[in-house]
C-alpha cells in the first residue's frame, strides 16, 4: 500500500510515519519506481505497536526503539525477549528514590516465598516492589504482610491472564508482541479497574457500617 | 523543632522544605523571635506525603498541590476527598489517545455488571479501562471478556486490601492520607509484583510444556 493508505489505516499522519522511519522505529518501505514507496501489513502492525507504546505506555521514543530492537533480534528465545522488554518497559516506573533497603528486599523475597515464586532475584519487579515498601514506611504507613500477600495474589491472577492470552496465539513473533503490548497496557488496565473497585468497596463498606 | 531537625528527620534538604513552603505545599512554620521558625510533627508527616507523591507517584508539583488542597478541605466527607484525590492522581495515567469508543465503554460496564459493581459511571477508572480496551484492539489484539473479568477480580482483591488497611486507622485524616498515598504507591506495587508473577508463570509454563 502507499503511505496515504497506511496513514489512513493506522490513523497516523504520513509525516509521523516518515518521522518513525527516520528515527529507526519503523523499517523503510519498498521503493518502486519514481517517488512511490510501498508499505506492507507488517508496517501497519509495527505502527500500531509503536503507537500503543508511545500513547498508552507513555514511553519515550528512545525506549520504544530499544524494545523494538529486542523484538527484532533474530532467533532470540521468547523468554529472553520478554525479559529484556520487561526491563525496558519498567524502567520509567522505578520510583525516584534511594536504593531499596535490605529489609524491604527481604520482605519482597518473603512474599515471593509465601506465594511459591522461585527465581525472582534478578526481576526488576523485585526492586520496584521493595522501593514501594520503603516509601509506605517512610510516609508513616508500614505495610502489613497480609496486604503484600493479597497484592501478590492479584499479581498472579494478572500473570495467568496475560500468559493465557499469549498462549492461544499462533506464532512466536505475535506472542512476543502481545507480551510487550500487554505489559504496557495491562498496567494501565489494572490501574483503571483498581480505581473502580476502590470506589465500589468504599461504598459497600459505607452502607454496611 | 527547627528546620535543621525537620530536614534531618525527613531526609529532605532545608532549601527544598523552604521551596515547598513557598509553593504552598507545606504550611509555614511558627515564627518565634529573631530568625527562628518552629515546625511540628504535622509538618514532618505532610513532608513525607509530599515526597511520596512526587518521587513514587511521579506527580507534578501542581498535582500534589491540588490533592493537598482537597485533603485540607475542612469537614469534607472522606468519600468526597477520596474521589477528588483519585481523579487528580489518575489524570496523568489517562492514555494520550482519542476518547474511548462507546463499544469499549459498554464492555467496561459489562465487566462491572458481571463483577456486581454498581455506580461506576462517573469513575475515572471506567474511561481509563475503556481506552486500554481500544488500544489493545487497535494494536490487533482484542481482549477477550475472560481476560477483563480476571483483571476485575484482581482489582477487587487490591481494593479490599486497600480499604482494609485504611479501616484499621484511628482517625479520619490519617485514613484519607493513606487512601491518597495508597492510590499512588499501590499502582506501583501492583506493577512490580505483576512483573515478578509474569516471569514466574512464564517459567512454570515453559517447564510443564
Amino acid at each position: 500500500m502507499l503511505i496515504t493508505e497506511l496513514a489512513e489505516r493506522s490513523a497516523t499522519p504520513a509525516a509521523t510515519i516518515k518521522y518513525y522511519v527516520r528515527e529507526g522505529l519503523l523499517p523503510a518501505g519498498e521503493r518502486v519506481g519514481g517517488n512511490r514507496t510501498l508499505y506492507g501489513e507488517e508496517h501497519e502492525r509495527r505502527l500500531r505497536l509503536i503507537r500503543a507504546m508511545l500513547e498508552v505506555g507513555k514511553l519515550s521514543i528512545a525506549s520504544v526503539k530499544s524494545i523494538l530492537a529486542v523484538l527484532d533480534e533474530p532467533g532470540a528465545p521468547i523468554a529472553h525477549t520478554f525479559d529484556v522488554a520487561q526491563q525496558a518497559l519498567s524502567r520509567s516506573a522505578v520510583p525516584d528514590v534511594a536504593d531499596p533497603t535490605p529489609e524491604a528486599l527481604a520482605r519482597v523475597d518473603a512474599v515471593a516465598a509465601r506465594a511459591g515464586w522461585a527465581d525472582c532475584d534478578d526481576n526488576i519487579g523485585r526492586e520496584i516492589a521493595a522501593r514501594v515498601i520503603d516509601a509506605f514506611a517512610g510516609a508513616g504507613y508500614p505495610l502489613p504482610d497480609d496486604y503484600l500477600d493479597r497484592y501478590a495474589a492479584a499479581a498472579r491472577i494478572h500473570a495467568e491472564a496475560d500468559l493465557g492470552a499469549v498462549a492461544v496465539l499462533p506464532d512466536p513473533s505475535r506472542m512476543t508482541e502481545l507480551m510487550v503490548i500487554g505489559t504496557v497496557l495491562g498496567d494501565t488496565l489494572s490501574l483503571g479497574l483498581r480505581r473502580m473497585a476502590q470506589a465500589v468497596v468504599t461504598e459497600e463498606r459505607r452502607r454496611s457500617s
Side-chain angles (χ1 to χ4, degrees), chain A:
Chain A
M1 70 188 98
L2 294 170
I3 196 164
T4 44
E5 188 182 346
L6 179 62
E8 201 185 300
R9 285 173 67 153
S10 63
T12 309
T16 304
I17 294 174
K18 288 177 183 167
Y19 168 68
Y20 294 157
V21 171
R22 279 199 308 279
E23 287 294 318
L25 300 185
L26 194 68
E30 191 196 347
R31 289 252 163 155
V32 287
N35 246 342
R36 292 158 51 95
T37 305
L38 289 184
Y39 296 86
E41 273 188 19
E42 70 284 6
H43 288 96
E44 189 184 340
R45 235 178 66 198
R46 175 55 56 100
L47 207 43
R48 290 182 193 280
L49 178 60
I50 292 168
R51 292 179 67 94
M53 289 196 275
L54 290 175
E55 292 167 3
V56 185
K58 304 196 175 235
L59 301 182
S60 65
I61 291 275
S63 299
V64 171
K65 199 167 168 177
S66 69
I67 290 166
L68 293 174
V70 177
L71 269 185
D72 293 339
E73 251 176 56
I78 289 187
H80 164 74
T81 309
F82 184 45
D83 184 50
V84 178
Q86 233 196 19
Q87 305 268 347
L89 288 167
S90 307
R91 218 161 283 142
S92 67
V94 177
D96 295 333
V97 287
D99 282 343
T101 59
E103 292 74 27
L105 286 169
R107 288 197 66 197
V108 177
D109 292 342
V111 170
R114 287 195 296 275
W117 298 355
D119 299 324
C120 292
D121 282 12
D122 299 328
N123 191 290
I124 194 166
R126 176 176 176 257
E127 201 180 306
I128 293 173
R131 283 171 197 245
V132 172
I133 289 172
D134 282 333
F136 266 107
Y141 297 93
L143 289 180
D145 280 338
D146 169 58
Y147 184 94
L148 296 173
D149 290 341
R150 295 206 216 179
Y151 263 69
R156 190 168 186 110
I157 293 176
H158 285 151
E160 296 279 2
D162 296 336
L163 274 295
V166 166
V168 298
L169 292 173
D171 70 273
S173 82
R174 298 263 299 166
M175 290 171 128
T176 326
E177 194 175 288
L178 178 56
M179 278 177 166
V180 171
I181 295 177
T183 298
V184 178
L185 296 186
D187 289 334
T188 308
L189 180 64
S190 166
L191 181 157
L193 293 172
R194 179 171 172 250
R195 297 287 180 281
M196 293 170 70
Q198 282 173 334
V200 167
V201 174
T202 302
E203 179 61 18
E204 283 174 3
R205 291 188 176 220
R206 194 188 62 75
R207 282 199 194 153
S208 72
S209 71

